[in-house]
Amino acid sequence: MPGFVPPRTRVPRLIAIAAVGLLLCACGSLRYYAQAAHGQGELIVHRRAVSKLVRDPATDPKLAARLRQAQQARRFASQRLALPDNRSYTGYVALDRPYVVWNVFATPRFSVQAVPQCFPVAGCVAYRGWFSKADAQADAARLRARGDDVWISGVPAYSTLGWFADPILSSMLRWDDDELDGTIFHELAHQLIYVKGDTAFNESFATFVQTEGLREWRQSRDLPPPDWYARAMGDGFTRQVLDLRARLGTLYASGVDESAMEAGKQREIAAFRTRYAQWRERDWPDDHRYDAWVAMPINNARLLPFGLYDRWTPAFAVLFQRAGRRWPAFYISVRELAREPGAQRERMLQALLQQRP
């Protein structure tokens, strides 16, 4: 996975989108593969066509209205944003649980780098997704037992990168309209261009498409731009967390002994909480949306999503302007970048960052 942040408490998109490559992990344990296949199979069995649901008089009117708008956004994605025109997000699944999957993140005790989870098609990502919360908790317990920092996050939606027709899920309907519609743009962007193993590139690209696509979508409906206030606060909070992660990275690289490193880790986390409180009281005195996140236990794994999802979004904005704000021309430029070796691709993105206004 910052681009657009809707007006509600949330952390980066990694914990909102989740588990790309979930079904592509035949190289993993049999148990993991079996639960992934079973979970996806259940979604396929219970999927209902949105077009039929919105016409069915038995469908709850509020659900029908939301699905109808999501389908309008889906058509806009293909017709105006030049995103894939397929069966993704034309079906609906009512889940019997609050999340579709639970992601497990892990880092070594004294590292801010993820324990990677690697899949044949998706490449390496920072998490492993489970369709059962109990299975996720068991996986987390295994990782904790070997000394890792671990964090579990429930996920409302996930992508199969176009291998299956991903549905709209009941868990996604807890979002507001902007987040629901923007997620459709984001996930279709992944289906269009995806570089194996380069999370920062993939998520920054999809986040740019989401943000700019949502702006155009709102404009087409004579609505004002998305709320700047929540975006500004979200960006500020992300900077606070990235600063903590950088400080911890410096500590872990210092070479001090384990007891000193653990004490330093706890001091840095406590200092972060103090800086956060001062920042919020100074800049956002009446907004407490991130207080609960800060008050919960913090470890390395909980910091992983931050910064991945907007690192290169300004670079993609430059490419979009160069393309005359034309989506097909923009995607040609992005594909050219995607074909470059990783180190060269990063140098080119860095150069684009220097050209932003």
Side-chain angles (χ1 to χ4, degrees):
M1 285 176 182
F4 170 62
V5 180
R8 62 186 181 85
T9 303
R10 68 185 295 269
V11 289
R13 290 202 59 84
L14 186 57
I15 56 179
I17 301 298
V20 292
L22 186 64
L23 308 171
L24 311 175
C25 56
C27 60
S29 70
L30 181 60
R31 175 169 168 263
Y32 184 76
Y33 180 71
Q35 67 88 33
H38 177 74
Q40 178 62 29
E42 285 199 324
L43 296 183
I44 293 172
V45 167
H46 292 102
R47 183 173 57 206
R48 297 184 63 190
V50 170
S51 59
K52 292 182 179 179
L53 275 173
V54 298
R55 293 195 305 266
D56 187 344
T59 301
D60 180 271
K62 291 182 179 179
L63 172 61
R66 294 215 68 194
L67 292 177
R68 192 174 292 111
Q69 177 172 307
Q71 290 311 279
Q72 293 169 356
R74 178 66 187 84
R75 287 192 292 272
F76 183 89
S78 296
Q79 295 170 2
R80 298 282 295 276
L81 306 181
L83 290 168
D85 187 3
N86 55 30
R87 293 178 59 236
S88 289
Y89 308 108
T90 63
Y92 173 74
V93 175
L95 299 172
D96 60 356
R97 55 191 187 273
Y99 299 106
V100 62
V101 294
W102 283 261
N103 277 353
V104 178
F105 302 81
T107 70
R109 182 181 174 192
F110 299 123
S111 173
V112 291
Q113 301 302 313
V115 175
Q117 303 295 327
C118 299
F119 307 100
V121 174
C124 296
V125 294
Y127 47 87
R128 176 178 280 197
W130 298 86
F131 279 95
S132 160
K133 185 177 181 180
D135 286 343
Q137 290 171 330
D139 190 33
R142 176 185 62 82
L143 293 164
R144 287 193 191 97
R146 72 180 195 185
D148 290 339
D149 278 8
V150 181
W151 176 47
I152 301 175
S153 171
V155 179
Y158 80 100
S159 172
T160 60
L161 299 179
W163 283 63
F164 296 90
D166 295 323
I168 297 170
L169 303 168
S170 57
S171 52
M172 298 165 65
L173 298 184
R174 295 200 304 270
W175 295 331
D176 60 25
D177 288 341
D178 279 351
E179 182 70 352
L180 176 61
D181 299 342
T183 294
I184 292 172
F185 302 157
H186 186 107
E187 291 306 307
L188 290 172
H190 280 320
Q191 293 185 18
L192 189 69
I193 300 172
Y194 187 89
V195 178
K196 181 177 178 179
D198 194 338
T199 298
F201 178 90
N202 295 327
E203 294 299 339
S204 295
F205 163 66
T207 296
F208 174 79
V209 173
Q210 176 191 0
T211 305
E212 178 60 26
L214 187 59
R215 188 196 65 77
E216 293 187 14
W217 167 232
R218 290 180 65 89
Q219 186 179 56
S220 75
R221 298 157 65 214
D222 296 320
L223 294 174
D227 178 27
W228 68 268
Y229 174 93
R231 173 176 176 173
M233 188 179 188
D235 288 349
F237 182 67
T238 295
R239 287 192 292 271
Q240 296 275 327
V241 177
L242 291 178
D243 178 66
L244 169 61
R245 194 166 70 190
R247 291 169 184 262
L248 289 173
T250 299
L251 169 67
Y252 300 151
S254 67
V256 298
D257 64 53
E258 186 171 301
S259 61
M261 200 167 289
E262 180 60 34
K265 177 180 182 179
Q266 298 310 316
R267 282 196 302 270
E268 290 291 358
I269 292 170
F272 160 76
R273 290 192 169 105
T274 299
R275 290 192 301 272
Y276 163 78
Q278 293 170 343
W279 166 77
R280 183 180 55 70
E281 286 303 312
R282 183 185 68 244
D283 297 343
W284 313 91
D286 299 320
D287 199 320
H288 298 265
R289 71 184 66 196
Y290 292 108
D291 287 9
W293 192 98
V294 173
M296 291 174 65
I298 296 173
N299 62 21
N300 302 321
R302 201 155 177 247
L303 308 180
L304 285 175
F306 289 86
L308 283 177
Y309 288 73
D310 67 337
R311 180 181 179 187
W312 303 120
T313 49
F316 287 112
V318 172
L319 279 183
F320 191 62
Q321 292 298 330
R322 283 187 183 178
R325 303 181 64 83
R326 292 176 292 115
W327 289 102
F330 169 66
Y331 298 142
I332 289 172
S333 298
V334 176
R335 286 192 179 94
E336 290 173 353
L337 267 178
R339 285 193 290 267
E340 296 288 343
Q344 175 64 11
R345 182 166 58 247
E346 181 161 343
R347 285 192 292 269
M348 294 171 72
L349 288 165
Q350 288 284 7
L352 288 167
L353 287 183
Q354 303 306 312
Q355 300 171 37
R356 59 184 169 177

